[in-house]
Amino acid sequence: MQADIKIVLVNTTHSGNIGGVARAMKNMGLADLVLVAPKSFPSDEASARAAGADDILSAATLVDSLQQAIAGCRLVFATSARERHIPWPIMDPREMAAVISTVDKDAGSGAVAIVFGREDRGLTNEELHLCQHHVCIPSVSGFSSLNIAAAVQVIAYEIRMASLTDVSAQAPQWGTSWDVPLAEQQELELMFEHFESTMVKTGFLDPENPRQFMTRLRRLIMRALPDKIEVNILRGMLTSITKTIGSTKK
Ligand code: SAH
């Protein structure tokens, strides 16, 4: 069992799909399902479609927001069928599975999250920007969107295949093995808030006209996969800037 991989479903509308996802997960040895404000759950429809994967449904965690779902995670992948306005580091499911295979299994549960969007409109840009990597199943253009349970099946299959063979050498060279644990999602968010407030204080960021500043900064920092010490260094620098501004204003 790959207990440290969470499958996160955001605002799922059709409860039958939640059951289909549970079944796809159980087939491939995944167990940790997190539901962000589903329209209706639990439901008979979900149990029927789970076809024996009821244990995954009854152990599912319900939360109100995506932030809550991924707070303790160090590596977060968003799945999406289409290219967005601002490009983000993108992988196919096989590359994603290779990266996951490099994650230190001793790091504790909830180290990795894979996020799936709404049936009708996927994930919002804000939700996508909470995630370090975007994963796209390379379906045909013009008919690229899979049913959510089918998308989970493809992703879970690649994770399963990667767990049966050693594919870590196929991961992009930066991998995730490091001397210091990667920062958790919540720590990254606090750092981004710190950046935003400090840059408003210095006058570098105009809150009335922020343009894409925070999105681009997010993308830059997410790409680097910062660890806990690096986040502390960046925040320490921000604090020193705030102190300097305070002392020059006196
Ligand atoms: N119309 C929506 C599609 C939603 S399908 C959109 O354009 O985003 C529901 C969810 O299934 C998506 O949010 C995504 O999590 C997953 N999914 C569907 N097709 C996918 C694909 N080709 N690659 C990756 N994820 C996909």
Side-chain angles (χ1 to χ4, degrees):
M1 278 277 175
Q2 308 238 21
D4 53 357
I5 301 174
K6 286 178 201 257
I7 297 293
V8 180
L9 308 185
V10 178
N11 293 159
T12 313
T13 311
H14 302 291
S15 49
N17 278 336
I18 299 176
V21 166
R23 180 179 187 175
M25 288 172 63
K26 188 161 176 164
N27 283 145
M28 297 297 138
L30 296 176
D32 200 350
L33 177 62
V34 183
L35 305 172
V36 179
K39 190 166 177 208
S40 128
F41 185 81
S43 78
D44 292 344
E45 178 74 6
S47 303
R49 287 273 307 278
D54 306 72
D55 51 335
I56 307 255
L57 292 181
S58 48
T61 311
L62 268 92
V63 293
D64 297 325
S65 69
L66 177 57
Q67 278 96 330
Q68 275 176 277
I70 60 180
C73 296
R74 296 176 307 143
L75 206 50
V76 184
F77 298 90
T79 57
S80 172
R82 55 192 167 107
E83 275 288 327
R84 304 296 170 132
H85 179 51
I86 291 204
W88 215 255
I90 197 154
M91 297 182 177
D92 66 35
R94 201 157 293 173
E95 290 166 327
M96 178 211 69
V99 172
I100 292 175
S101 74
T102 68
V103 174
D104 180 2
K105 295 279 190 287
D106 300 332
S109 72
V112 176
I114 309 168
V115 184
F116 294 81
R118 300 156 187 84
E119 291 95 327
D120 56 347
R121 57 196 171 92
L123 295 164
T124 64
N125 282 336
E126 290 69 33
E127 288 163 346
L128 285 163
H129 294 166
L130 291 172
C131 308
Q132 286 113 332
H133 291 98
H134 294 174
V135 182
C136 186
I137 299 164
S139 44
V140 295
S141 68
F143 199 67
S144 60
S145 179
L146 280 73
N147 167 270
I148 186 170
V152 170
Q153 187 73 78
V154 171
I155 298 275
Y157 168 74
E158 291 294 343
I159 293 170
R160 173 90 180 137
M161 286 302 284
S163 76
L164 296 175
T165 42
D166 182 12
V167 296
S168 52
Q170 290 161 32
Q173 61 182 18
W174 37 265
T176 60
S177 321
W178 210 242
D179 54 342
V180 176
L182 294 183
E184 290 173 13
Q185 212 278 336
Q186 207 166 21
E187 295 167 322
L188 292 178
E189 287 311 309
L190 289 171
M191 178 184 62
F192 289 129
E193 283 169 23
H194 199 168
F195 258 108
E196 192 166 14
S197 61
T198 309
M199 291 302 106
V200 169
K201 277 185 203 140
T202 64
F204 185 79
L205 176 61
D206 177 1
E208 300 302 319
N209 185 21
R211 314 225 291 212
Q212 298 286 356
F213 173 74
M214 284 310 298
T215 305
R216 291 188 184 277
L217 185 70
R218 242 171 209 285
R219 185 175 62 171
L220 167 67
I221 293 179
M222 296 282 217
R223 235 171 35 231
L225 293 179
D227 65 41
K228 285 173 182 286
I229 292 182
E230 290 162 344
V231 164
N232 284 343
I233 292 173
L234 288 170
R235 293 202 61 179
M237 288 163 68
L238 293 172
T239 303
S240 79
I241 291 172
T242 311
K243 277 190 191 144
T244 310
I245 308 172
S247 62
T248 53
K249 276 187 183 159
K250 272 175 208 155

